[in-house]
Amino acid sequence: MKNTVQVFAPASVANLSCGFDVLGLCLEGVGDTMSFQRTSDSGIKIFNKNNSSLPTDPKQNVAGVAAQALLDAHPIAGGVQIEIEKGILPGSGIGSSAASAVGAVVGINQLLEHPLPKQDLLPFALAGEAMASKDAHADNIAPALLGGIILVRSVYPMDLVKLPIPKDLFAVVLHPQIELKTAEARALLGNQVLLKSAIQQWANVGALVHALHTDDDSLMARSLQDVIAEPLRKKLIPEFDRIQKIALQEGALGCGISGAGPSIFSLVKGAEKSHNIAHALSYFCNQKGIEHQLYTSPINRNGVEIISAK
Ligand code: HSE
């Protein structure tokens, strides 16, 4: 049984254009660092190290909700203090709430007398994610927890498929510095889709899965298309069409909205091409006066990481 734990919870890209709510991948190097300390007082206390806009009430904080869900099922004596250092801005579209939820359950799990296997933590992380986005989707928490590229076949019951990662695949993520709330970006979509759009979308998902298995760049490029969420959401993102065009012209296999936005991801083969695309996008944003951050990352195969547990 451990008393102090530190974890690094990574950012993730959900949807991958065609796979709304069912596809996601894990990023490397960008994420939240969370520290956990067992306390003699009962209950969860939250401290935000560098983001004072996040709630400290555990019932309102994604990490608090996820942690409580796990502790309700697996109680411990005393309580826990959680300190969160956000490396992912909330409302950025790269799985900020998922990182907090996943970090929380992985950290708390280490404090249990009998820690659970990693994949058994997903339903507890989902409780936190559901509170944040007002809907239970696992396309950020699954890759953040397990790493790699994940297909969420079902949430209840949780049924995940880990997909192969083609050689030399990189994600370039452009984060324009505006905040979009996932719940609002979801509300924009309504409840119905046209049958012809659904047909196109599920054809793309099937083809993308095949392309990942066969490392077929051309099929990947043809499948990374979103005819359902992107047309409705892109108006919330300044210069989305121009940015997408630049990324594709520079050789990205695909480019689309990362999760609910405003971040925009490109999937790219090769480190050099990734850097060229990042450079071109940054140049464009600077010309347009769009404040932004850029991340270039290989696909993170491992997901959340336990930095220390004592
Ligand atoms: N699939 C979710 C959405 C991801 O697009 O709303 C949110 O990060």
Side-chain angles (χ1 to χ4, degrees):
M1 205 167 63
K2 312 289 186 199
N3 286 308
T4 58
V5 179
Q6 196 174 41
V7 306
F8 181 76
S12 50
V13 173
N15 299 341
L16 305 185
S17 292
C18 53
F20 180 76
D21 273 6
V22 302
L23 285 172
L25 62 76
C26 189
L27 296 172
E28 209 164 276
V30 49
D32 298 344
T33 306
M34 301 172 70
S35 305
F36 302 80
Q37 171 81 52
R38 194 186 283 282
T39 58
S40 48
D41 296 347
S42 61
I44 296 169
K45 288 199 181 54
I46 296 196
F47 294 91
N48 294 309
K49 204 168 168 186
N50 63 343
N51 193 320
S52 52
S53 67
L54 288 172
T56 49
D57 175 357
K59 291 194 179 67
Q60 305 297 322
N61 184 298
V62 175
V65 172
Q68 191 62 58
L70 178 55
L71 288 171
D72 286 345
H74 299 273
I76 58 170
V80 187
Q81 177 179 306
I82 307 176
E83 187 183 76
I84 306 170
E85 184 175 356
K86 292 296 289 178
I88 313 171
L89 281 178
S92 55
I94 48 172
S96 174
S97 52
S100 292
V102 162
V105 294
V106 169
I108 300 284
N109 191 41
Q110 287 298 308
L111 304 179
L112 303 182
E113 204 170 332
H114 302 291
L116 307 176
K118 220 181 182 189
Q119 65 275 16
D120 291 2
L121 298 172
L122 270 162
F124 307 110
L126 188 66
E129 177 72 306
M131 192 273 289
S133 60
K134 315 263 178 283
D135 218 343
H137 58 91
D139 49 344
N140 286 110
I141 56 165
L145 183 72
L146 303 172
I149 307 176
I150 306 267
L151 170 76
V152 183
R153 198 206 59 80
S154 157
V155 174
Y156 300 117
M158 194 66 81
D159 185 0
L160 305 175
V161 183
K162 208 160 182 180
L163 298 170
I165 304 169
K167 209 164 146 258
D168 265 346
L169 189 67
F170 285 78
V172 176
V173 178
L174 168 72
H175 174 207
Q177 304 286 286
I178 52 171
E179 183 179 346
L180 279 185
K181 291 218 177 331
T182 299
E184 285 163 25
R186 291 179 80 78
L188 199 66
L189 303 179
N191 285 321
Q192 293 185 331
V193 294
L194 287 175
L195 182 60
K196 71 170 189 191
S197 305
I199 292 167
Q200 182 63 66
Q201 199 90 346
W202 62 55
N204 282 336
V205 174
L208 179 58
V209 168
H210 185 72
L212 293 172
H213 275 276
T214 52
D215 200 353
D216 181 338
D217 286 358
S218 162
L219 185 59
M220 229 183 290
R222 299 200 302 283
S223 324
L224 285 163
Q225 312 267 356
D226 175 8
V227 296
I228 292 179
E230 184 180 295
L232 295 167
R233 283 176 165 176
K234 67 179 183 180
K235 51 180 163 287
L236 302 174
I237 304 171
E239 302 286 357
F240 175 82
D241 286 332
R242 295 279 301 279
I243 289 167
Q244 186 180 52
K245 199 167 162 197
I246 293 169
L248 295 174
Q249 268 168 355
E250 294 290 327
L253 295 173
C255 174
I257 302 172
S258 174
S263 287
I264 298 169
F265 80 99
S266 303
L267 282 187
V268 186
K269 275 294 181 71
E272 200 185 327
K273 201 178 272 177
S274 307
H275 290 297
N276 292 345
I277 290 172
H279 187 261
L281 296 181
S282 189
Y283 180 78
F284 174 76
C285 288
N286 287 337
Q287 272 191 325
K288 290 281 170 190
I290 301 171
E291 266 187 68
H292 63 281
Q293 279 180 321
L294 265 160
Y295 309 101
T296 300
S297 159
I299 313 307
N300 175 343
R301 290 169 187 270
N302 304 314
V304 60
E305 187 192 331
I306 297 167
I307 300 169
S308 65
K310 292 186 261 214

